[in-house]
Amino acid sequence: MVRSLWRPAPHRWAKAAIAVAAVLGVATPAARAQSALATPAAPAAAWSASAERGMNVYAARCSGCHSEDAHRVGPLHRGVVGRRAGALADFDYSPALRDSKLLWTRATLAAWLADPEALIPGQGMDYQLEDAREREDVVAYLATLKRPVAPARGR
Ligand code: HEC
């Protein structure tokens, strides 16, 4: 009789356990579900400090010959990560680049920027980016250049 007066109801125990777990930093299933909801999935190529620096590298080192959205001495860059080398029909590539069938990934782009001629002999880009950190940053920037929803040009 007396005991039933002070015994807490079961749901109170559960709440207390969650509170203690929260204080101790223990992830209960409920807490985990909540933080999963609060954290949006990272986009494939997130804007990062590296991409931010890469934008400046691009302006300083690439924009003399390239731009994001128009052909200049070199081809436009939007959508380049994931594209085949030499794939834009309206740019006059060297036969070496067009025939290479290389897929532009972060790794192949870094190798290209380090030494284009070593990667694709006979290519036509007369430029090398010596600094590995700058290569990594500019490639991170290129990865943020998504294709428009309805591409205006190229494929
Ligand atoms: C001196 C001019 C010049 C500079 C500077 C230059 N490029 Fe190029 N780039 C070219 C030319 C020309 C081509 C086409 C090469 C060919 O057809 O073989 C090219 C091709 C490319 C391609 C292949 C694109 C495709 O559609 O296959 C990439 C990627 C590229 N450049 C990235 C860069 C980046 C990043 C920088 C700056 C770090 C840079 N380039 C600096 C002239 C330049």
Side-chain angles (χ1 to χ4, degrees):
M1 283 291 273
V2 175
R3 262 188 212 164
S4 68
L5 285 178
W6 56 263
R7 189 193 293 155
H11 75 271
R12 287 252 201 110
W13 280 116
K15 271 194 188 169
I18 289 176
V20 168
V23 168
L24 296 178
V26 178
T28 62
R32 252 186 266 129
Q34 220 167 32
S35 70
L37 284 177
T39 314
W47 192 251
S48 62
S50 180
E52 182 88 37
R53 288 191 301 269
M55 188 175 67
N56 295 327
V57 175
Y58 190 87
R61 310 249 187 259
C62 316
S63 63
C65 294
H66 289 278
S67 92
E68 287 87 343
D69 292 299
H71 298 321
R72 302 180 77 173
V73 174
L76 67 83
H77 276 145
R78 186 168 304 280
V80 70
V81 174
R83 187 164 89 198
R84 293 274 164 202
L88 301 178
D90 56 352
F91 184 83
D92 189 19
Y93 292 99
S94 66
L97 189 65
R98 194 179 277 291
D99 295 344
S100 71
K101 304 283 193 291
L102 191 76
L103 184 67
W104 289 132
T105 64
R106 288 187 179 226
T108 56
L109 282 166
W112 167 257
L113 295 176
D115 192 345
E117 191 58 27
L119 187 69
I120 304 174
Q123 58 75 41
M125 176 164 126
D126 189 17
Y127 189 76
Q128 279 175 259
L129 197 53
E130 306 289 344
D131 187 291
R133 164 85 173 261
E134 287 192 345
R135 290 197 295 268
E136 189 182 310
D137 290 346
V138 84
V139 170
Y141 174 65
L142 291 177
T144 68
L145 300 177
K146 295 296 166 55
R147 266 178 284 197
V149 177
R153 54 193 310 174
R155 280 191 309 125

